[in-house]
């Protein structure tokens, strides 16, 4: 179990990239190239389902270490991830209501058809998603499972070498996953800003050379910068404060957001 824990965290963090698109299909020498491995019609469910497996690795790592501090870190992380996965899921549901599809490529195309990023009509959902995403990846100010001042190193205290590296490779890969999903769900993926309103501008000689993948990469790097900025800026929450934010604030707000977006979609389609 001690050896299995870092693998259970490491493998899902890379597996989800199978369905994350980096751009739209393009042609090279007459052959179509798709910058993603698979476009499945339940891609967002696949990402959420596979990502949730990592919690077992954290719990097993804390328990198999035979260390009370590691066990407390593992249990803290379990409580934290379960708490913040619920409002994160409801924030994603609001995007699904607006796009009408579970495909990540379809969500980007829905934003192209609408001529607007879903960030603007779904700004509350984006705020909930990003706060929950930071908590899901155990980053400041939600890094309670690794609270050095209380738990030495949390669930990975007894790990070293490549087993320790697997934990942190997975953490940074999960940061990229959360950032990529934020870009795809709320910021148009590989689309330039306001593709319909400013279509002439993006086709100008000065900007037409910008490939879709570069737009995607720029947006993802902005979110990664925000992650690192948070780590150097915000103090850590107490654990009771962390749980209160999740259950008392984010969960009711996420439910209200789904209701508002659902009513808005019905009104627009009606």
């Amino acid at each position: 179990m001690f050896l299995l824990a870092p693998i259970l965290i490491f493998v899902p963090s890379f597996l989800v990239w199978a369905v994350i698109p980096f751009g739209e299909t393009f042609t090279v020498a007459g052959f179509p190239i798709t910058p993603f491995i698979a476009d499945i019609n339940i891609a967002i469910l696949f990402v959420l389902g596979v990502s949730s497996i990592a919690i077992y690795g954290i719990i097993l790592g804390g328990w198999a270490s035979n260390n009370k501090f590691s066990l407390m870190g593992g249990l803290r992380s379990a409580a934290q991830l379960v708490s913040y996965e619920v409002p994160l899921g409801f924030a994603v549901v609001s995007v699904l209501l607006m796009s009408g599809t579970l495909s990540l490529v379809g969500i980007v195309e829905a934003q192209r058809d609408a001529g607007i990023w879903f960030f603007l009509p779904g700004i509350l959902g984006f705020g909930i998603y990003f706060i929950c995403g930071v908590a899901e990846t155990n980053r400041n100010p939600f890094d309670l499972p690794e609270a050095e001042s209380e738990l030495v190193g949390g669930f990975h205290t007894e790990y070293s070498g490549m087993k320790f590296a697997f934990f942190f490779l997975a953490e940074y890969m999960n940061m990229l996953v959360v950032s990529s999903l934020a870009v795809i769900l709320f910021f148009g993926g590989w689309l330039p800003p306001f593709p319909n309103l400013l279509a002439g501008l993006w086709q100008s000689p000065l900007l037409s050379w910008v490939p879709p993948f570069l737009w995607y990469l720029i947006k993802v790097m902005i979110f990664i910068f925000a992650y690192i900025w948070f780590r150097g800026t915000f103090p850590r929450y107490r654990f009771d404060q962390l749980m209160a934010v999740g259950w008392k604030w984010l969960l009711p707000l996420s439910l209200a957001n789904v209701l508002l977006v659902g009513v808005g979609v019905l009104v627009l389609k009606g």
Side-chain angles (χ1 to χ4, degrees):
M1 293 301 165
F2 186 77
L3 296 175
L4 182 62
I7 297 172
L8 277 176
I9 296 176
F10 180 76
V11 172
S13 66
F14 280 83
L15 188 60
V16 296
W17 289 98
V19 298
I20 293 180
F22 307 117
E24 57 188 346
T25 302
F26 59 94
T27 303
V28 175
F31 294 96
I33 306 296
T34 54
F36 47 85
I37 296 175
D39 175 26
I40 59 178
N41 58 0
I42 55 165
I44 191 65
L45 292 181
F46 177 85
V47 172
L48 295 177
V50 171
S51 300
S52 63
I53 296 174
I55 183 60
Y56 295 107
I58 292 176
I59 295 172
L60 281 179
W63 175 74
S65 294
N66 196 25
N67 178 318
K68 63 181 179 182
F69 297 110
S70 298
L71 180 59
M72 289 174 64
L75 294 177
R76 270 188 178 186
S77 188
Q80 178 172 325
L81 296 186
V82 169
S83 299
Y84 281 83
E85 270 186 2
V86 178
L88 184 143
F90 281 122
V92 171
V93 166
S94 66
V95 174
L96 303 183
L97 289 172
M98 289 185 281
S99 64
T101 178
L102 294 171
S103 164
L104 293 176
V105 175
I107 290 172
V108 176
E109 294 299 331
Q111 293 175 79
R112 186 203 301 274
D113 295 339
I116 191 171
W117 292 348
F118 287 157
F119 161 74
L120 293 174
I123 187 169
L124 177 58
F126 164 70
I128 294 168
Y129 170 86
F130 193 57
I131 292 172
C132 293
V134 173
E136 288 277 298
T137 49
N138 295 333
R139 301 290 294 182
N140 271 29
F142 302 105
D143 62 336
L144 270 298
E146 305 165 14
E148 297 91 347
S149 59
E150 307 156 41
L151 300 177
V152 188
F155 59 89
H156 55 70
T157 299
E158 302 294 335
Y159 285 89
S160 61
M162 278 308 298
K163 294 188 290 293
F164 176 83
F166 275 1
F167 280 117
F168 275 85
L169 278 171
E171 180 175 309
Y172 278 83
M173 191 55 64
N174 287 331
M175 289 166 56
L176 282 169
V177 170
V178 169
S179 301
S180 296
L181 284 180
V183 168
I184 292 169
L185 296 176
F186 295 97
F187 287 88
W190 57 83
L191 302 177
F194 308 106
N196 285 3
L197 298 178
L198 303 177
L201 176 64
W202 304 129
Q203 293 169 6
S204 66
L206 291 176
L207 291 173
S208 60
W209 60 271
V210 180
F213 173 75
L214 187 56
W215 284 117
Y216 168 85
L217 186 62
I218 290 170
K219 296 173 189 177
V220 170
M221 288 301 103
I222 290 172
F223 281 102
I224 295 297
F225 172 81
Y227 263 108
I228 297 169
W229 178 31
F230 292 166
R231 187 170 183 85
T233 304
F234 297 122
R236 180 181 294 134
Y237 275 108
R238 293 197 318 265
F239 195 70
D240 61 309
Q241 293 173 327
L242 178 141
M243 298 300 284
V245 168
W247 290 107
K248 294 182 180 179
W249 292 98
L250 294 182
L251 182 58
L253 282 174
S254 64
L255 289 169
N257 177 60
V258 170
L259 179 62
L260 290 172
V261 171
V263 170
V265 170
L266 284 175
V267 170
L268 291 174
K269 289 185 176 180

